[in-house]
Amino acid sequence: MSGTGGREGMSDDADSGDLLHWLDPPVDKDLRFLTVRVWRGDETGAYQEYRVPRRDNQTVLDVLTHIQRHLDPGLAFRFSCRVGMCGSCAMLVNGTSRWTCRTRVDKVLGLGALTLAPLRNFPVIKDLCVDMSEFFDGVQRAEGRFVPKEPGARDFHSIPPGSRRRRRIDEAIECIGCGICHSACESVLANKEFLGPAALNRAWTLVNDDRDGAGRARLLAVAGDAGCQSCHSHQSCAQDCPKHLNPTRSIAGLKRAVAWATLTGRLTK
Amino acid sequence: MTRIRPRLESWLWLVQRAGAVVLLVGVAVHFTTNIMAVRNGLSAEEILGRTAGNMVFLIFYSLFSLAIAGHGAVGLRTLLREATPLPGAAIDGITLAVGILLAVVGCRIAYGFYAVGLPVGGAIAGQ
C-alpha cells in the first residue's frame, strides 16, 4: 500500500497536453517513492502526477496496477498475460515504446521519475489505451494471413529446419503484435498510409512459406507508397522490438522480392 | 496518399536505386579524373583537352546526368510527399518537371564540353 494512502498520492498538477513532456521530470526526494506522470484523457488530455512506493524488482506494470488499485481506479490501461506473451501492455515509458510487464522500473528510471504515455502513431482512446484496429487492419491489408497452396492437402508438407527460407521465417515469426515497432516507426509518423513494420514483417514470413499460395497477391499488396518501399530503414523498430526481431531486415527482403517481381513482370495478381 | 499504383511505385523505386548505383560509380570516376586533371593546374585548356570530341566523356556524363535526374526527382518526390501537405498530383508534376530539367540541362552541359572545338555549320563551336 502507498504510504500516502488513498487519493492523497494523486496530485492535481497536470501539465499541458504535450505527450513528450517527459524531458523535464519531477524528482521525488524521498527515495521510498516514485514520481509517476501518467497521461490522462484522449489526445487532448494532460499528464497527471502520482506518488507510488518503490519496491524491489518493481515493473512499470506494477506501478500502474498500484495507481489503479490504490490511487485512481479510473485509470485505463491494458494488460493480460504479465509475462511478455500477449503484447497488450505496450506504451511509451520515458519516451520509448516498451512492454511494461517486462520493463523493470530501476532500468528506466533515469532522473528518478517515470513518465507514461500511450503509444505513438495510434489514436488514443483513453489514458494509456490506444485504438489498435488500424494496426491489425494493416496486417490484413498486407495479406498477412496464410493461404494454403493445396487447400485439400492430407499430408504434412516437409520444410527442412535449416533451409534458407525456413531460417528467414524463424527470424521474424515471434511477433506478438504489441505495436511497439509501429509506435517507434518514423515512416509511419510521416506517412499514415504506411502499413508499418509489424504488418510487413508478417507478410515476409508468408512470402517465405513454401506452403503458401498467395505470393503474387501479397507482393502486390506490400508494394507501393503504403508498402515496403516507404520504409527508410531507420531501424527504430528493430531497436525497440521487445522480442528482438528485426522488421527492417524483413522489409529489406520484401523490397528485394518486389523489385525482382517488378523486373520480371510478375507484380500482378 | 493512397496505395493505388504499386507497379508504378515499384518502377520508380527501382529507378531511384539504379540511379544511386550509377551515381556511386560515376562520382568515383568523376573525382578520380578531376584529381588527375588538376595535376598540372586547373585550366580550361586542361579540361577541354580531355572532353572536346571525346565520345566516352559525352556518354559517361550523359548517363551521370540521367542518373542524377532519376535519383533526384524520385527522392524529391518522396520528400515532398512526407514533408508537405501538397496533393499527390502536384508533387508528381513538380518532380517530373525537376527530373526533365535536370536531365536536359545535364546532357546539354555534357554535350557543350564535348562539342567545343568541333566544326559546327562552318564555324568552330565555342569560339
Side-chain angles (χ1 to χ4, degrees):
Chain A
M1 273 295 290
S2 163
T4 54
R7 291 179 67 86
E8 286 175 12
M10 187 172 78
S11 156
D12 288 332
D13 171 32
D15 288 295
S16 62
D18 178 5
L19 277 167
L20 293 178
H21 196 80
W22 59 274
L23 288 169
D24 183 24
V27 178
D28 200 318
K29 291 188 174 60
D30 186 343
L31 293 178
R32 292 171 302 163
F33 292 91
L34 286 168
T35 302
V36 187
R37 310 172 82 162
V38 182
W39 186 260
R40 300 304 309 274
D42 55 17
E43 265 107 356
T44 58
Y47 283 106
Q48 183 82 50
E49 207 171 289
Y50 302 90
R51 283 184 90 212
V52 176
R54 296 179 80 153
R55 305 259 186 250
D56 289 340
N57 303 320
Q58 191 175 26
T59 65
V60 176
L61 186 59
D62 292 336
V63 170
L64 284 169
T65 307
H66 178 91
I67 293 172
Q68 194 187 53
R69 286 186 183 170
H70 304 294
L71 305 177
D72 191 348
L75 176 66
F77 61 98
R78 288 198 188 101
F79 74 97
S80 182
C81 74
R82 297 174 294 138
V83 289
M85 289 171 67
C86 73
S88 58
C89 67
M91 63 188 71
L92 289 186
V93 179
N94 285 357
T96 302
S97 311
R98 294 179 182 278
W99 51 3
T100 52
C101 67
R102 300 287 300 269
T103 300
R104 294 240 307 267
V105 169
D106 54 8
K107 296 264 184 193
V108 293
L109 204 50
L111 293 172
L114 271 183
T115 300
L116 307 176
L119 286 176
R120 209 169 58 142
N121 298 333
F122 289 89
V124 180
I125 299 172
K126 180 180 185 290
D127 303 344
L128 301 167
C129 292
V130 293
D131 183 353
M132 301 198 62
S133 48
E134 269 293 310
F135 171 75
F136 290 119
D137 286 349
V139 179
Q140 295 304 316
R141 283 196 289 138
E143 302 282 342
R145 57 192 174 280
F146 175 64
V147 179
K149 201 183 281 179
E150 304 166 57
R154 287 167 177 260
D155 203 359
F156 291 108
H157 186 106
S158 173
I159 297 176
S163 69
R164 191 174 58 159
R165 282 159 65 83
R166 175 67 234 192
R167 288 205 309 271
R168 285 177 181 165
I169 296 171
D170 286 343
E171 288 168 353
I173 198 67
E174 296 293 342
C175 175
I176 55 173
C178 61
I180 283 178
C181 57
H182 202 81
S183 170
C185 179
E186 284 83 4
S187 296
V188 173
L189 192 65
N191 177 2
K192 296 298 174 201
E193 297 288 325
F194 181 46
L195 290 165
L200 294 170
N201 181 72
R202 171 63 183 152
W204 176 239
T205 62
L206 291 163
V207 164
N208 284 288
D209 193 330
D210 289 340
R211 305 163 304 155
D212 186 86
R216 288 190 178 198
R218 187 169 298 109
L219 286 184
L220 200 60
V222 300
D225 59 347
C228 59
Q229 287 130 345
S230 283
C231 167
H232 297 316
S233 307
H234 292 130
Q235 305 199 46
S236 304
C237 53
Q239 179 178 284
D240 288 352
C241 175
K243 299 292 287 183
H244 305 297
L245 306 184
N246 189 344
T248 310
R249 180 170 54 202
S250 300
I251 295 170
L254 285 178
K255 286 175 181 172
R256 287 194 302 274
V258 169
W260 189 242
T262 305
L263 286 170
T264 54
R266 289 183 296 110
L267 196 62
T268 54
K269 282 205 174 177
Chain B
M1 280 176 275
T2 51
R3 188 165 50 93
I4 53 174
R5 298 175 299 184
R7 274 180 291 274
L8 174 66
E9 297 290 339
S10 296
W11 275 113
L12 289 175
W13 185 84
L14 277 169
V15 164
Q16 211 230 2
R17 292 305 197 270
V21 172
V22 173
L23 285 176
L24 191 70
V25 178
V27 167
V29 173
H30 174 73
F31 280 124
T32 306
T33 50
N34 271 9
I35 290 165
M36 287 167 64
V38 298
R39 278 185 306 179
N40 299 323
L42 186 61
S43 67
E45 196 177 19
E46 181 76 26
I47 295 168
L48 294 174
R50 290 166 190 273
T51 64
N54 186 342
M55 185 58 77
V56 174
F57 166 87
L58 177 63
I59 293 170
F60 172 76
Y61 275 99
S62 296
L63 273 177
F64 195 82
S65 302
L66 293 175
I68 289 170
H71 183 77
V74 179
L76 180 65
R77 181 172 176 266
T78 304
L79 278 174
L80 291 177
R81 279 177 168 223
E82 295 192 358
T84 71
L86 288 170
I91 291 171
D92 287 353
I94 291 167
T95 50
L96 183 64
V98 168
I100 291 171
L101 185 72
L102 287 173
V104 170
V105 170
C107 291
R108 180 66 188 85
I109 291 171
Y111 181 74
F113 274 87
Y114 165 78
V116 167
L118 292 185
V120 179
I124 302 295
Q127 290 186 3

